[in-house]
Amino acid sequence: MTIPANVRTRPASTPVAESITRVSTRSDDVEIRFGLPEDRGDWLLCSDLLEDPQLFTRWRKTLGAWLVDEYGESSDRATAGYVMGWYLGVAGGLAGLLFHSARRVPSLKPTDLAFRIANDDRPHVAGIALLSDDFACLPDDPSGNHPAATVVADEQALAAVLRARYTAHAAAFVGAYAPTVRLGRRMLWAAATDALDKGAWLAGRMCGDEATGVADAAMLLPERLEPLTSASTLRMVDGEWTRKRESCCFTYVLPGAEACDTCPRICH
């Protein structure tokens, strides 16, 4: 059930809104909220960008200027890679947080998610907003009888709902973004896989239970499930969890920059 446009800026007390409020207190880096502020300001609906891919191009130009300030030059591959990962992290990160913290899966439709871009530093995603009270949950959820709830049989079924909702959003992104960049569809789906795997992992770290976040990632990505490109790549190395990225942000092409530790070019 999508919240009507005239209700999107009001405080809400539906179950999923309450879940958002709880997780928002755990995030220091990204604002997480239910609904948009009274002054929408620079908040963008995900559907805005998918309907007008030139908004991605403007975002990349802003990023390119920041890269020039930081590295002395920019790169089309780097701006494409950064924006690709940042955008997919909106749905992947929010889904991972609610799955981990509440065993709830929100709507991930492009019309039901919004974000804002930082304007005082590098133009990364600085805020994420959920605009729908729809959610899927387990039979023991205390709000399972709420009109906005869809109850599924067990955790595996809930993970499948999350994966399906996320993949549908990612497919819309791939369709809109691919014509604007020189990245193959395999790379775009690899980035979608990364965002889902990383989102579950970081949700565990944010909530103080990294190992459970790793287990959530394995539940969401138990094997390669097309169009996603791999199972979860999280593994323990020297007593710490890490993962091998499926996609590349192309930071390494910039002057003086080094490849990330999890870069698929060097990580095995």
Side-chain angles (χ1 to χ4, degrees):
M1 181 168 67
T2 301
I3 296 178
N6 64 347
V7 182
R8 285 182 172 174
T9 59
R10 298 182 190 171
S13 59
T14 58
V16 76
E18 293 168 355
S19 295
I20 290 287
T21 299
R22 285 192 291 271
V23 298
S24 67
T25 63
R26 300 175 183 270
S27 178
D28 296 327
D29 298 328
V30 179
E31 176 189 6
I32 302 169
R33 60 178 294 132
F34 187 87
L36 296 173
E38 290 290 341
D39 178 8
R40 174 173 165 176
D42 53 1
W43 286 85
L44 294 166
L45 292 175
C46 287
S47 55
D48 290 343
L49 285 88
L50 300 185
E51 292 169 3
D52 182 7
Q54 287 304 308
L55 293 173
F56 284 118
T57 302
R58 294 178 199 169
W59 188 2
R60 290 177 57 207
K61 286 182 178 178
T62 302
L63 172 60
W66 180 82
L67 291 176
V68 169
D69 287 342
E70 290 292 308
Y71 295 97
E73 65 181 66
S74 182
S75 159
D76 284 346
R77 283 187 293 171
T79 60
Y82 274 59
V83 167
M84 170 180 70
W86 286 339
Y87 179 89
L88 289 164
V90 171
L94 183 63
L97 265 177
L98 291 186
F99 185 77
H100 177 82
S101 64
R103 281 302 188 254
R104 290 173 175 171
V105 176
S107 172
L108 299 176
K109 294 178 182 177
T111 51
D112 292 336
L113 295 178
F115 66 97
R116 64 178 178 86
I117 299 169
N119 57 18
D120 58 351
D121 195 355
R122 65 174 187 161
H124 61 286
V125 172
I128 299 172
L130 177 64
L131 309 179
S132 169
D133 56 6
D134 171 78
F135 69 101
C137 63
L138 297 173
D140 62 354
D141 191 294
S143 297
N145 61 350
H146 191 277
T150 299
V151 179
V152 300
D154 53 31
E155 287 190 336
Q156 296 295 331
L158 192 64
V161 170
L162 189 158
R163 194 165 50 244
R165 291 183 177 184
Y166 174 78
T167 301
H169 189 145
F173 167 75
V174 170
Y177 196 58
T180 72
V181 294
R182 295 179 180 178
L183 299 177
R185 287 178 179 261
R186 201 278 176 191
M187 175 64 74
L188 295 172
W189 277 110
T193 307
D194 283 334
L196 185 59
D197 198 21
K198 183 179 179 181
W201 176 32
L202 294 186
R205 291 175 62 176
M206 183 183 299
C207 296
D209 191 352
E210 183 176 20
T212 300
V214 171
D216 288 346
M219 192 185 311
L220 294 171
L221 293 169
E223 58 183 321
R224 179 181 178 183
L225 297 167
E226 294 185 352
L228 302 171
T229 58
S230 78
S232 173
T233 64
L234 282 155
R235 64 198 190 284
M236 184 72 74
V237 176
D238 297 329
E240 295 184 353
W241 288 104
T242 188
R243 64 181 304 277
K244 175 185 174 181
R245 290 175 56 164
E246 285 282 291
S247 62
C248 188
C249 63
F250 300 103
T251 298
Y252 75 90
V253 304
L254 299 168
E258 297 181 357
C260 309
D261 291 341
T262 55
C263 179
R265 298 172 65 252
I266 62 173
C267 182
H268 302 288

